[in-house]
Amino acid sequence: MNSDNREYVNWDADIPVIRYKALDDTGCVEHGFSTRLGGVSGGHFRSMNLSYTRGDNKEAVDKNFERFCSEIRIDWKKIVSTDQTHTANVRAVTEKDAGHGIIRPKTVFDIDGQVTNVPGLVLITNHADCVPLFFVDPVKKAIGLTHSGWRGTAARIGKNTVEAMTEYYGSRPEDIIGVIGPSICQSCYEVSEDVAEVFLKSFRVSDRLVYEKPDHKFQLNLWEANYQVMVDAGMRPENITVTRWCTGCHPDLLWSHRKTGANRGSLAAFLCLK
Ligand SMILES: [Zn+2]
């Protein structure tokens, strides 16, 4: 498992972007993860809100996408968005999906992960505590991007993403470079006993996965769970970078549903083949 200097961001930039050296090193993608900073939205969306579905005005969100995408050298009109309903469903997208959910209405629903091998097509997922999973196969030139909250993690959507890349593009799991991106950490993520049980039953158990506090409340580590999912899917441990950025620990810099409730904007992960 890698962390430390492998994840970087310049907080003094006009538009801060969280990036990963392992993805840069593949040489075949543009990528980034947004923060709350650098956008034009006002009120409780201030300032970088990347969701059209939370009540922010469309012009501001358009501008935010345009600004952020320009910063990471991708075309915001070629974004393919998902509707993210906490499924484990992964869909292969092509040129005809460009702009889906961004410059034209959504027509495909109940998808939480996407894969493609089309250069220039921009995969995104929205986040505010749930985990983004990036997948890049530099051999077959294919990518995947997945939204993995606790339900998606329990249903192993990360594994479904790897399998979709194998099925559609012939990717070998051991070639895939993965990132578990900014999202809620174990200390910030208290869950009910029911949810803890789901993970205690089907994942490798340790305090690092589910920690039972002295007051008998449970803390779930979605980073560890998704790491297990990726390794179980055949990815190499040394090819997986795990974030240091918790949304809940930094609600001033990142959107966190747990910390700010429903009156908030949304972060986004971006991944695009060059
Ligand atoms: Zn935290």
Side-chain angles (χ1 to χ4, degrees), residues 169-180:
Y169 315 120
S171 296
R172 299 188 316 161
E174 58 267 39
D175 292 331
I176 297 175
I177 307 299
V179 167
I180 297 170

Side-chain angles (χ1 to χ4, degrees), residues 86 128-131 148-153 183-192 195-196 199 209-211 213 217-223 225 246-249 256-259:
H86 296 276
D129 292 339
C130 288
V131 184
S148 189
W150 79 258
R151 284 191 175 81
T153 303
S183 43
I184 199 158
C185 79
Q186 185 172 19
S187 303
C188 289
Y189 196 43
E190 203 170 276
V191 297
S192 68
V195 172
F199 287 83
L209 178 76
V210 175
Y211 176 65
K213 299 198 299 181
K217 300 217 167 125
F218 297 88
Q219 292 172 328
L220 172 62
N221 187 342
L222 288 175
W223 299 347
C246 167
T247 44
C249 289
S256 170
H257 189 82
R258 283 261 168 143
K259 288 295 160 80

Side-chain angles (χ1 to χ4, degrees), residues 31-140:
H31 78 283
F33 190 87
S34 68
T35 74
R36 286 185 63 166
L37 313 178
V40 301
S41 293
H44 62 248
F45 299 111
R46 191 163 55 87
S47 62
M48 183 62 85
N49 167 42
L50 293 169
S51 171
Y52 291 102
T53 61
R54 307 203 61 81
D56 197 356
N57 80 71
K58 182 183 179 305
E59 290 69 32
V61 181
D62 281 352
K63 191 75 193 161
N64 289 340
F65 271 113
E66 199 178 343
R67 283 169 70 99
F68 192 87
C69 290
S70 162
E71 182 69 21
I72 62 172
R73 301 180 297 273
I74 57 178
D75 180 356
W76 76 284
K77 293 185 172 171
K78 298 191 88 173
I79 291 173
V80 191
S81 175
T82 55
D83 69 327
Q84 297 182 194
T85 48
H86 296 276
T87 68
N89 301 330
V90 178
R91 178 171 177 256
V93 297
T94 61
E95 190 69 46
K96 68 180 189 327
D97 298 298
H100 182 261
I102 302 291
I103 56 170
R104 54 195 185 80
K106 287 180 186 174
T107 53
V108 180
F109 302 96
D110 291 337
I111 296 294
D112 283 74
Q114 301 185 115
V115 294
T116 193
N117 65 350
V118 179
L121 204 59
V122 181
L123 306 185
I124 73 161
T125 45
N126 281 107
H127 303 270
D129 292 339
C130 288
V131 184
L133 303 177
F134 296 77
F135 302 84
V136 177
D137 174 1
V139 178
K140 298 290 184 182

